[in-house]
Amino acid sequence: MAEVRTLLDGRGLVESPRWHDDRLYFSDWTAGEVVAVDLEGRSEVVARVESLPLCTAFLPDGRLLVVDSATGRLLRREPDGTLAPHAELGEPGWNDIALDGRGNAYVNRLGWNPAEPDAFKPGFVHLAAADGTVRQVADDIAFPNGMAVTPDDSTLIVADSHRHCLLAFDIDDNGDLSNRRVWADLGEGTPDEGTPDGICLDAEGAVWYADVPNERCVRVAEGGTVLDTVELDRGGFACALGGPDGRSLFIVTAEFLGMTGKDLVTPGSGQVLVTRVDVPGVGRP
């Protein structure tokens, strides 16, 4: 594994890295900001939304979608930088988002408040379709987290952090999900069990997943065989492949303090890291 370089530091709870137009976009949930940073570390805030979670993805035409979890909406960043309503999701509490090439947005939500573990209910995935309709397309996901769509738009992969696995669904022609299956068992109940958060896909069909409690980023094949690991010194919240050749692995990290305190991470501990890998990224978000 190549050297891991710090591209940006001093942030809060950083999440949702997306490579787009020669820059990495990510969200600082603590600050309520969507930030773009280039490979030299030059950054700018491109949107401000007071929401936690605060995840993003890009439409096929290049416009940014922002999950305004606090109000239960999807917002669309227009070319002039303004944020316009895109879809009404309903109640607050939405988490990650991934789009297919037709402009269909898959957004997931926990069914419970992690600060109240006794109130556990499984989460679900909704589809905010390109035609403006919103409907539930999957359920019974204990802790739905990172998602990715394969480059042929045939499969949605969803991280279930609490069940320590990656799930896969076929994407039907109308955007519905079917043929639910465990894409990768990450060793639930074993000493080295994986806890996947944000994920991304590469051109060999493997998935990279960031792991908060184990402080690492792991590449796995379908089925769960570990192919590579990047060790970190703090929690890995999400990852993305990008750069000019798609072989830069970006990892957003922070010192995790737990779900029940005032601060989820140590203030100022958020970092954007980058390292080089052999296999380029493909697919979406």
Side-chain angles (χ1 to χ4, degrees):
M1 175 58 64
E3 176 188 2
V4 178
R5 178 169 65 94
T6 301
L7 191 62
L8 202 63
D9 62 9
R11 305 297 310 197
L13 175 49
V14 282
E15 266 278 12
S16 197
R18 318 300 194 204
W19 180 260
H20 181 75
D21 280 352
D22 298 324
R23 295 195 295 179
L24 183 79
Y25 289 70
F26 69 93
S27 300
D28 185 331
W29 292 7
T30 305
E33 296 175 345
V34 181
V35 181
V37 59
D38 66 17
L39 291 175
E40 302 303 317
R42 296 181 292 257
S43 66
E44 68 166 325
V45 176
V46 299
R48 289 184 170 88
V49 181
E50 292 296 328
S51 176
L52 195 160
L54 177 61
C55 290
T56 65
F58 285 91
L59 287 161
D61 65 9
R63 288 179 296 176
L64 180 73
L65 283 188
V66 179
V67 182
D68 184 353
S69 180
T71 65
R73 300 183 300 167
L74 284 182
L75 303 176
R76 185 181 62 247
R77 186 178 186 271
E78 301 294 3
D80 64 0
T82 59
L83 295 174
H86 185 80
E88 294 290 336
L89 300 172
E91 59 187 324
W94 300 87
N95 189 19
D96 214 339
I97 179 172
L99 269 73
D100 69 13
R102 296 165 288 193
N104 292 322
Y106 295 91
V107 191
N108 63 37
R109 184 182 184 278
L110 275 67
W112 55 295
N113 183 347
E116 302 173 358
D118 292 340
F120 171 78
K121 292 181 181 178
F124 44 77
V125 179
H126 273 49
L127 166 66
D131 64 7
T133 61
V134 178
R135 62 184 183 274
Q136 183 174 309
V137 289
D139 60 8
D140 191 27
I141 304 171
F143 196 121
N145 234 317
M147 298 191 293
V149 176
T150 55
D152 61 1
D153 291 329
S154 68
T155 306
L156 176 73
I157 298 176
V158 183
D160 189 334
S161 299
H162 277 197
R163 290 182 178 143
H164 306 279
C165 67
L166 301 174
L167 301 171
F169 300 85
D170 292 345
I171 299 175
D172 299 338
D173 290 342
N174 64 356
D176 285 339
L177 302 179
S178 61
N179 189 27
R180 174 191 177 123
R181 57 203 182 271
V182 174
W183 189 89
D185 180 346
L186 304 179
E188 183 174 10
T190 69
D192 199 39
E193 67 182 3
T195 303
D197 197 325
I199 66 173
C200 62
L201 292 160
D202 72 25
E204 290 184 352
V207 168
W208 282 95
Y209 72 85
D211 190 322
V212 175
N214 291 300
E215 298 185 349
R216 62 190 181 184
C217 191
V218 182
R219 182 176 182 244
V220 293
E222 185 171 2
T225 300
V226 173
L227 304 173
D228 207 344
T229 301
V230 179
E231 299 291 346
L232 307 169
D233 67 355
R234 62 199 68 190
F237 283 85
C239 53
L241 286 160
D245 60 0
R247 291 181 169 87
S248 292
L249 176 67
F250 300 94
I251 310 168
V252 288
T253 70
E255 296 174 359
F256 184 54
L257 298 177
M259 302 294 290
T260 57
K262 175 180 177 292
D263 295 315
L264 299 179
V265 302
T266 301
S269 68
Q271 297 180 328
V272 179
L273 309 177
V274 61
T275 188
R276 296 288 291 167
V277 298
D278 293 331
V279 183
V282 296
R284 303 170 183 88

